[in-house]
Amino acid sequence: MAPKIAVIVGPTGGIGSAVAEAVTASGTYDRVVGLGRQSEPRLDLLDEQTIEACADQLKVVEGEVRLVFDASGALTLDGSRPEKSLREIDPSHLARSYAVNTIGPALLMKHFFPLFPREGRFVFATLSARVGSIGDNRLGGWYAYRAAKAGLNQIVRTAAIELSRRNPEALAVALHPGTVKTPLTETFAKSGLEVQEPEVAARRLLDVVNGLSPAETGCFFDHLGKPIAW
Ligand SMILES: NC(=O)c1ccc[n+]([C@@H]2O[C@H](COP(=O)([O-])OP(=O)(O)OC[C@H]3O[C@@H](n4cnc5c(N)ncnc54)[C@H](OP(=O)(O)O)[C@@H]3O)[C@@H](O)[C@H]2O)c1
């Protein structure tokens, strides 16, 4: 049997580093590859050529990619905090949030999906956020981040349909990690919410990924495996 490869995008992040450790410790994969702005080859979501170059590199690694876990993303960009009201909308902040949170993962799917095996289980999981749910939006605010994650959710759903035509056992899902103690939440986590350590969130997210059936492709789940409204 071909060696099994897991790819973690964003292995330097709070959640990404814990996911990379948990995937390695599980012993399920023969090789765990971390790709990000500090890896070699480098992967920058804002630079399509780096994503293509990483995909090309994976093509020559012996084995089959069976998991891609995308733990990248950003809430605060270049010091711009999330908007509290419409008057704070800034076109360049909105565009940058889309570039990192929506377009970057879309390019990952574009260049990585052709690598995936045509038979057998494969999972592409990307970290979205509950605040990207339109049906669940009761608080308002955070325009750019919410819209960018909603856009990501639509791309996951659309790509999942294409992916399952290629391999009926392959899945693409959007996941909400819960509130996790990482640099991203440092100044935002509200009291009263359960704030998880990254190791706990990583374990829960991997349990969700491992428990998914092909019929659940194209869906949006939280860290406990509960579906979230689009
Ligand atoms: N923490 C939470 O409570 C929470 C809640 C809901 C959703 N999420 C989502 O979970 C994901 C991970 O969050 P986190 O809390 O782990 O955040 P984090 O600690 O800030 O990690 C973010 C990761 O994204 C990478 N990244 C950012 N811009 C990039 C780019 N242009 N190219 C390549 N990589 C880039 C970072 O790489 P560098 O090291 O190179 O910057 C880092 O590895 C995000 O999508 C976030 O929206 C988190």
Side-chain angles (χ1 to χ4, degrees), residues 10-16 37-38 43-46 71-74 100-101 127-129 145 149 176-180 182-185:
T12 49
I15 301 173
R37 289 188 285 194
Q38 290 168 40
L43 186 148
D44 183 347
L45 294 168
L46 303 178
S72 66
V100 176
N101 293 308
L127 291 185
S128 180
Y145 186 68
K149 292 295 193 184
H176 167 64
T179 305
V180 189
T182 70
L184 182 138
T185 47

Side-chain angles (χ1 to χ4, degrees), residues 37 73-83 93 96-97 100-101 142 144-145 183-188:
R37 289 188 285 194
L75 173 59
T76 304
L77 289 151
D78 301 333
S80 303
R81 294 169 59 84
E83 316 85 342
H93 175 72
R96 275 178 297 147
S97 187
V100 176
N101 293 308
W142 293 25
Y145 186 68
L184 182 138
T185 47
E186 236 161 27
T187 48
F188 301 104

Side-chain angles (χ1 to χ4, degrees), residues 53-230:
C54 286
D56 287 344
Q57 181 89 1
L58 284 169
K59 278 183 202 149
V60 297
V61 173
E62 194 204 344
E64 289 176 339
V65 178
R66 291 286 171 185
L67 172 70
V68 174
F69 194 107
D70 169 31
S72 66
L75 173 59
T76 304
L77 289 151
D78 301 333
S80 303
R81 294 169 59 84
E83 316 85 342
K84 286 192 178 146
S85 83
L86 274 174
R87 65 174 181 278
E88 290 173 28
I89 285 191
D90 169 64
S92 77
H93 175 72
L94 201 50
R96 275 178 297 147
S97 187
Y98 255 82
V100 176
N101 293 308
T102 317
I103 300 171
L107 294 173
L108 287 178
M109 293 178 233
K110 172 181 170 185
H111 292 288
F112 284 25
F113 276 23
L115 304 176
F116 303 158
R118 287 192 168 266
E119 287 180 344
R121 187 175 175 83
F122 162 79
V123 180
F124 175 87
T126 186
L127 291 185
S128 180
R130 188 182 295 277
V131 297
S133 162
I134 294 171
D136 192 59
N137 185 353
R138 290 178 186 86
L139 290 175
W142 293 25
Y143 285 89
Y145 186 68
R146 280 185 189 279
K149 292 295 193 184
L152 170 64
N153 290 348
Q154 179 66 279
I155 285 174
V156 168
R157 176 77 176 192
T158 307
I161 294 168
E162 190 171 331
L163 182 64
S164 57
R165 283 188 195 127
R166 185 183 141 91
N167 174 353
E169 289 179 76
L171 292 108
V173 289
L175 300 177
H176 167 64
T179 305
V180 189
K181 199 172 166 191
T182 70
L184 182 138
T185 47
E186 236 161 27
T187 48
F188 301 104
K190 289 192 188 124
S191 57
L193 281 179
E194 184 206 359
V195 181
Q196 307 159 96
E197 290 301 326
E199 296 69 29
V200 174
R203 208 175 49 240
R204 288 174 169 169
L205 290 166
L206 290 175
D207 283 349
V208 174
V209 164
N210 293 334
L212 291 170
S213 72
E216 292 172 301
T217 193
C219 293
F220 184 20
F221 297 100
D222 73 8
H223 55 298
L224 301 175
K226 293 196 188 114
I228 302 177
W230 292 120

